[in-house]
Amino acid sequence: KSRQDWFQKHHEEMNERDRILTRLSKVEAQLLAKKYLRINTPLMHFCRTRANPSLCWLPAIHNEHSSRLLAISADAVRADLSARQAALQFYLTELENQLQVKLTKRTSLPYTDEHKNQEESVGINMRLSHDDNNYTKEHNNELYPHSDKEHGNEDFIDEYHHAKRRRC
C-alpha cells in the first residue's frame, strides 16, 4: 500500500511540475511576443529596402511614391505581426495539448502489484545477465581476437570487463 501511495504522490508532484513548466513557457512566449510587438510596431512608419536584411528609412521629402512605399511597409509589418500572433496562439494551444497528453498518460496507468512483480523480475534478469561467468578469458578472446597475449593487452581487457561489471 505504501508503494502505491508513493507512486500516487510522485505522479501528483510530476503533474504539478508539468503544469508549472507549461505556465512558465506560456508566460515566456507571451512576454517575447509583447517585446516583438513593442519593437516592431514603430517600424510601420518607415519604408523598408528590398535587400535582406531590410533597412528602415524615412524619406526627407514625401511624395506619392514615398507614401505608397510607407503604405506597403505598414501592410507588411501588420501582416508580420498578425502572423506572429497566430503562431503564438498555435504555440500556446500546443503547449496545453502536450500538458494534457502527459497528464493523461500518468493517470491512465495506475501502479498495481502486477507492475511491482514485473519490475522485480526485470531486476533479477538484469543481475543474472551480468554474472561473473559471462566474462571469462575465452569470452575476451572471442570479443577481441587481435588483442591477446601477443599484444600485451590481456590485463587491460580483464580490467575493462571488471570495470564494466561494476557499472552495471
mmCIF file of all heavy atoms in Angstrom, residues 78-95:
data_model
loop_
_atom_site.group_PDB
_atom_site.id
_atom_site.type_symbol
_atom_site.label_atom_id
_atom_site.label_comp_id
_atom_site.label_asym_id
_atom_site.label_seq_id
_atom_site.Cartn_x
_atom_site.Cartn_y
_atom_site.Cartn_z
ATOM 1 N N ARG A 78 2.142 44.875 -40.435
ATOM 2 C CA ARG A 78 0.886 44.367 -39.860
ATOM 3 C C ARG A 78 0.724 42.871 -40.144
ATOM 4 O O ARG A 78 0.302 42.111 -39.266
ATOM 5 C CB ARG A 78 -0.301 45.137 -40.430
ATOM 6 C CG ARG A 78 -0.535 46.450 -39.779
ATOM 7 C CD ARG A 78 -1.878 47.046 -40.204
ATOM 8 N NE ARG A 78 -1.822 48.475 -40.020
ATOM 9 C CZ ARG A 78 -1.564 49.368 -40.975
ATOM 10 N NH1 ARG A 78 -1.375 48.995 -42.217
ATOM 11 N NH2 ARG A 78 -1.527 50.644 -40.692
ATOM 12 N N ALA A 79 1.051 42.465 -41.374
ATOM 13 C CA ALA A 79 0.945 41.044 -41.720
ATOM 14 C C ALA A 79 1.909 40.211 -40.879
ATOM 15 O O ALA A 79 1.549 39.126 -40.405
ATOM 16 C CB ALA A 79 1.223 40.858 -43.208
ATOM 17 N N ASP A 80 3.116 40.720 -40.686
ATOM 18 C CA ASP A 80 4.103 40.010 -39.873
ATOM 19 C C ASP A 80 3.629 39.894 -38.428
ATOM 20 O O ASP A 80 3.728 38.825 -37.815
ATOM 21 C CB ASP A 80 5.449 40.736 -39.941
ATOM 22 C CG ASP A 80 6.530 40.015 -39.159
ATOM 23 O OD1 ASP A 80 6.590 38.770 -39.231
ATOM 24 O OD2 ASP A 80 7.309 40.705 -38.466
ATOM 25 N N LEU A 81 3.084 40.983 -37.896
ATOM 26 C CA LEU A 81 2.616 40.960 -36.508
ATOM 27 C C LEU A 81 1.415 40.029 -36.343
ATOM 28 O O LEU A 81 1.326 39.301 -35.346
ATOM 29 C CB LEU A 81 2.274 42.368 -36.039
ATOM 30 C CG LEU A 81 3.458 43.332 -35.903
ATOM 31 C CD1 LEU A 81 2.968 44.720 -35.496
ATOM 32 C CD2 LEU A 81 4.477 42.819 -34.916
ATOM 33 N N SER A 82 0.501 40.022 -37.317
ATOM 34 C CA SER A 82 -0.651 39.120 -37.201
ATOM 35 C C SER A 82 -0.216 37.657 -37.357
ATOM 36 O O SER A 82 -0.759 36.778 -36.682
ATOM 37 C CB SER A 82 -1.727 39.479 -38.216
ATOM 38 O OG SER A 82 -1.251 39.285 -39.521
ATOM 39 N N ALA A 83 0.771 37.398 -38.218
ATOM 40 C CA ALA A 83 1.288 36.037 -38.351
ATOM 41 C C ALA A 83 1.964 35.593 -37.062
ATOM 42 O O ALA A 83 1.809 34.438 -36.633
ATOM 43 C CB ALA A 83 2.270 35.954 -39.518
ATOM 44 N N ARG A 84 2.689 36.500 -36.450
ATOM 45 C CA ARG A 84 3.326 36.169 -35.162
ATOM 46 C C ARG A 84 2.275 35.893 -34.091
ATOM 47 O O ARG A 84 2.441 34.995 -33.274
ATOM 48 C CB ARG A 84 4.218 37.324 -34.694
ATOM 49 C CG ARG A 84 5.467 37.506 -35.472
ATOM 50 C CD ARG A 84 6.515 36.535 -34.968
ATOM 51 N NE ARG A 84 7.764 36.751 -35.669
ATOM 52 C CZ ARG A 84 8.935 36.618 -35.122
ATOM 53 N NH1 ARG A 84 9.039 36.257 -33.876
ATOM 54 N NH2 ARG A 84 10.023 36.809 -35.831
ATOM 55 N N GLN A 85 1.201 36.667 -34.093
ATOM 56 C CA GLN A 85 0.139 36.467 -33.103
ATOM 57 C C GLN A 85 -0.531 35.107 -33.312
ATOM 58 O O GLN A 85 -0.807 34.393 -32.354
ATOM 59 C CB GLN A 85 -0.892 37.602 -33.192
ATOM 60 C CG GLN A 85 -1.908 37.592 -32.090
ATOM 61 C CD GLN A 85 -1.300 37.838 -30.716
ATOM 62 O OE1 GLN A 85 -0.277 38.488 -30.583
ATOM 63 N NE2 GLN A 85 -1.925 37.295 -29.699
ATOM 64 N N ALA A 86 -0.784 34.745 -34.571
ATOM 65 C CA ALA A 86 -1.376 33.438 -34.866
ATOM 66 C C ALA A 86 -0.427 32.312 -34.454
ATOM 67 O O ALA A 86 -0.865 31.299 -33.897
ATOM 68 C CB ALA A 86 -1.711 33.342 -36.350
ATOM 69 N N ALA A 87 0.865 32.485 -34.726
ATOM 70 C CA ALA A 87 1.847 31.476 -34.332
ATOM 71 C C ALA A 87 1.904 31.345 -32.813
ATOM 72 O O ALA A 87 2.050 30.238 -32.284
ATOM 73 C CB ALA A 87 3.226 31.826 -34.891
ATOM 74 N N LEU A 88 1.782 32.458 -32.119
ATOM 75 C CA LEU A 88 1.785 32.419 -30.649
ATOM 76 C C LEU A 88 0.577 31.638 -30.135
ATOM 77 O O LEU A 88 0.713 30.796 -29.242
ATOM 78 C CB LEU A 88 1.782 33.836 -30.076
ATOM 79 C CG LEU A 88 1.607 33.938 -28.565
ATOM 80 C CD1 LEU A 88 2.826 33.378 -27.850
ATOM 81 C CD2 LEU A 88 1.348 35.367 -28.146
ATOM 82 N N GLN A 89 -0.603 31.915 -30.696
ATOM 83 C CA GLN A 89 -1.802 31.196 -30.264
ATOM 84 C C GLN A 89 -1.677 29.698 -30.529
ATOM 85 O O GLN A 89 -2.060 28.876 -29.698
ATOM 86 C CB GLN A 89 -3.044 31.766 -30.961
ATOM 87 C CG GLN A 89 -3.391 33.169 -30.540
ATOM 88 C CD GLN A 89 -3.591 33.288 -29.032
ATOM 89 O OE1 GLN A 89 -4.192 32.425 -28.402
ATOM 90 N NE2 GLN A 89 -3.053 34.356 -28.454
ATOM 91 N N PHE A 90 -1.113 29.349 -31.687
ATOM 92 C CA PHE A 90 -0.902 27.935 -32.008
ATOM 93 C C PHE A 90 0.062 27.306 -31.020
ATOM 94 O O PHE A 90 -0.170 26.193 -30.522
ATOM 95 C CB PHE A 90 -0.370 27.797 -33.439
ATOM 96 C CG PHE A 90 -0.104 26.382 -33.837
ATOM 97 C CD1 PHE A 90 -1.147 25.529 -34.152
ATOM 98 C CD2 PHE A 90 1.188 25.894 -33.887
ATOM 99 C CE1 PHE A 90 -0.908 24.217 -34.515
ATOM 100 C CE2 PHE A 90 1.444 24.584 -34.239
ATOM 101 C CZ PHE A 90 0.394 23.740 -34.558
ATOM 102 N N TYR A 91 1.145 28.008 -30.700
ATOM 103 C CA TYR A 91 2.138 27.500 -29.752
ATOM 104 C C TYR A 91 1.519 27.291 -28.374
ATOM 105 O O TYR A 91 1.765 26.273 -27.721
ATOM 106 C CB TYR A 91 3.316 28.472 -29.675
ATOM 107 C CG TYR A 91 4.383 28.076 -28.687
ATOM 108 C CD1 TYR A 91 5.208 26.987 -28.919
ATOM 109 C CD2 TYR A 91 4.561 28.791 -27.507
ATOM 110 C CE1 TYR A 91 6.180 26.617 -28.021
ATOM 111 C CE2 TYR A 91 5.532 28.428 -26.591
ATOM 112 C CZ TYR A 91 6.339 27.341 -26.851
ATOM 113 O OH TYR A 91 7.294 26.976 -25.947
ATOM 114 N N LEU A 92 0.693 28.237 -27.946
ATOM 115 C CA LEU A 92 0.067 28.114 -26.625
ATOM 116 C C LEU A 92 -0.898 26.934 -26.580
ATOM 117 O O LEU A 92 -0.945 26.205 -25.578
ATOM 118 C CB LEU A 92 -0.649 29.411 -26.262
ATOM 119 C CG LEU A 92 0.243 30.634 -26.059
ATOM 120 C CD1 LEU A 92 -0.588 31.871 -25.766
ATOM 121 C CD2 LEU A 92 1.272 30.415 -24.980
ATOM 122 N N THR A 93 -1.662 26.712 -27.646
ATOM 123 C CA THR A 93 -2.567 25.560 -27.654
ATOM 124 C C THR A 93 -1.782 24.250 -27.709
ATOM 125 O O THR A 93 -2.183 23.264 -27.081
ATOM 126 C CB THR A 93 -3.553 25.627 -28.833
ATOM 127 O OG1 THR A 93 -2.826 25.741 -30.042
ATOM 128 C CG2 THR A 93 -4.516 26.780 -28.679
ATOM 129 N N GLU A 94 -0.655 24.244 -28.435
ATOM 130 C CA GLU A 94 0.176 23.041 -28.471
ATOM 131 C C GLU A 94 0.765 22.735 -27.094
ATOM 132 O O GLU A 94 0.835 21.572 -26.694
ATOM 133 C CB GLU A 94 1.304 23.185 -29.500
ATOM 134 C CG GLU A 94 0.857 22.980 -30.914
ATOM 135 C CD GLU A 94 0.312 21.580 -31.147
ATOM 136 O OE1 GLU A 94 0.979 20.600 -30.777
ATOM 137 O OE2 GLU A 94 -0.798 21.489 -31.693
ATOM 138 N N LEU A 95 1.189 23.754 -26.383
ATOM 139 C CA LEU A 95 1.698 23.537 -25.022
ATOM 140 C C LEU A 95 0.619 22.930 -24.136
ATOM 141 O O LEU A 95 0.880 21.994 -23.366
ATOM 142 C CB LEU A 95 2.180 24.854 -24.411
ATOM 143 C CG LEU A 95 3.538 25.361 -24.832
ATOM 144 C CD1 LEU A 95 3.800 26.728 -24.209
ATOM 145 C CD2 LEU A 95 4.636 24.402 -24.438
#
